[in-house]
Amino acid sequence: MEWSDIKIFLAVARASTLGGAARSLRLSHPTIGRRLRSLEEATGQTLFQRSADGFVLTDEGAAVLSLAEQMEESALTMERRLAGKEGKLEGLLRISSADWFGGYVLPPVVAAYRAAYPDVLVELLTGTRLFSLSHREADLVFRIVPFAEPDIVQRRLVTMRYGVYMRRDRVDPVIGDGSGFQLITMDASLGSFPDTAWLVDRFPNASVGLRSNSRHVQAHLCEEGLGLAVLPRPVGDRLAGLRRLELPDDPPEREIWMGYHRDLRRLGRLRAFVDMVVSILAR
């Protein structure tokens, strides 16, 4: 039994569908199905029950799940520790962040890094999904909350300032009122955001007209004149169609945290990027 087969088994167990497993492993749907059938034939056991809701572990599959997870952890630990001893400034560096941070804050860092280390391929993954450092889904992660996972080396990178923005040619709303205006806020399904509560408090008579899980999308909706939005200053200040409102107080600031797995702390290409991002963003 090969480790690659165990990865297929775990991916299907976690995604409950062949399509979800294929996306997580970056393989094709038919490949996942074929490899799973081969694994079941090799073991002589039916590991999953096929149902209308997807793939559900059978008793036989559930019995070996924890063993498969132990194999995965051992393999990942070996991979991280071997990678962490690699001093060459070449290869792949996978970075994860929110879309706005990747689109408006990191580009000058990546440009300087690529100029200094052209043999390193930088892969920038953006979105709301939290990529796993222990599973090496990413080598370096930037986010607005501290890391609670074990074995993560983290540091508070910068304090990010926010502002309230509106389309440049629109008349200012009345502070403490907001009648006739709409608000563009974060998607409530992602949890509570202090800037949303702050915005509603400052303009209590404005209606929430639009929500999005992307600050980048919010910025462009705002630029179209669809409402007021709280945006990170590097986003709002860069868009020519927006202007920042002068208010008695500013929206709540957020801390940007940077983290990587401790097994990679000696990985040359990672260390070089960390040093560069601290040098550039600290200014």
Side-chain angles (χ1 to χ4, degrees):
M1 186 181 301
E2 298 181 2
W3 163 234
S4 58
D5 294 328
I6 302 302
K7 290 173 67 175
I8 299 289
F9 169 73
L10 288 171
V12 175
R14 289 162 178 164
S16 298
T17 65
L18 296 183
R23 286 189 295 273
S24 68
L25 295 178
R26 300 185 180 185
L27 296 174
S28 68
H29 189 290
T31 297
I32 296 292
R34 183 176 66 254
R35 296 279 297 277
L36 182 59
R37 286 193 299 273
S38 297
L39 176 62
E40 291 185 321
E41 290 171 1
T43 59
Q45 301 290 338
T46 301
L47 302 175
F48 292 94
Q49 178 69 44
R50 282 72 166 171
S51 70
D53 296 327
F55 283 63
V56 180
L57 284 168
T58 62
D59 290 343
E60 292 78 9
V64 298
L65 178 62
S66 62
L67 295 175
E69 290 173 335
Q70 291 173 26
M71 291 179 64
E72 177 187 47
E73 181 56 35
S74 296
L76 289 169
T77 299
M78 180 181 295
E79 180 183 333
R80 288 193 308 266
R81 291 185 181 177
L82 289 174
K85 295 181 181 299
E86 185 179 341
K88 295 180 180 178
L89 290 171
E90 60 184 32
L92 173 65
L93 181 64
R94 187 175 289 118
I95 301 167
S96 169
S97 75
D99 62 343
W100 65 268
F101 196 82
Y104 291 88
V105 179
L106 287 180
V109 180
V110 174
Y113 182 81
R114 287 282 299 144
Y117 310 108
D119 293 329
V120 179
L121 170 62
V122 176
E123 185 173 276
L124 186 54
L125 309 170
T126 64
T128 57
R129 180 188 165 202
L130 296 179
F131 288 86
S132 171
L133 289 167
S134 62
H135 287 78
R136 286 211 73 189
E137 293 179 333
D139 300 316
L140 182 65
V141 172
F142 297 90
R143 65 192 206 188
I144 59 174
V145 292
F147 295 80
E149 302 92 321
D151 300 322
I152 301 302
V153 178
Q154 63 178 311
R155 66 173 291 171
R156 186 169 53 190
L157 185 61
V158 293
T159 299
M160 186 59 59
R161 299 171 63 193
Y162 286 69
V164 179
Y165 294 85
M166 65 183 301
R167 181 164 163 161
R168 185 168 292 278
D169 60 0
R170 296 297 167 89
V171 178
D172 283 13
V174 176
I175 301 171
D177 182 10
S179 297
F181 285 82
Q182 291 194 345
L183 307 179
I184 303 170
T185 67
M186 286 297 290
D187 179 4
S189 67
L190 297 175
S192 60
F193 289 83
D195 58 270
T196 295
W198 182 94
L199 186 63
V200 170
D201 182 68
R202 297 310 183 274
F203 302 102
N205 295 322
S207 60
V208 176
L210 292 161
R211 292 194 181 105
S212 173
N213 64 353
S214 166
R215 298 285 189 183
H216 180 70
V217 171
Q218 290 178 30
H220 287 291
L221 293 173
C222 185
E223 202 170 23
E224 289 296 324
L226 297 177
L228 308 173
V230 172
L231 300 171
R233 291 281 297 272
V235 178
D237 290 351
R238 290 273 297 277
L239 296 178
L242 296 180
R243 62 184 178 88
R244 183 164 47 89
L245 298 182
E246 296 295 335
L247 301 174
D249 60 335
D250 293 324
E253 299 174 338
R254 302 300 296 269
E255 305 291 347
I256 303 297
W257 293 81
M258 173 177 65
Y260 54 90
H261 198 281
R262 67 180 180 88
D263 288 345
L264 298 183
R265 61 189 182 278
R266 294 187 180 90
L267 181 61
R269 57 184 178 271
L270 172 62
R271 289 301 322 162
F273 192 90
V274 168
D275 291 343
M276 190 164 287
V277 77
V278 169
S279 173
I280 293 176
L281 295 190
R283 297 199 297 265

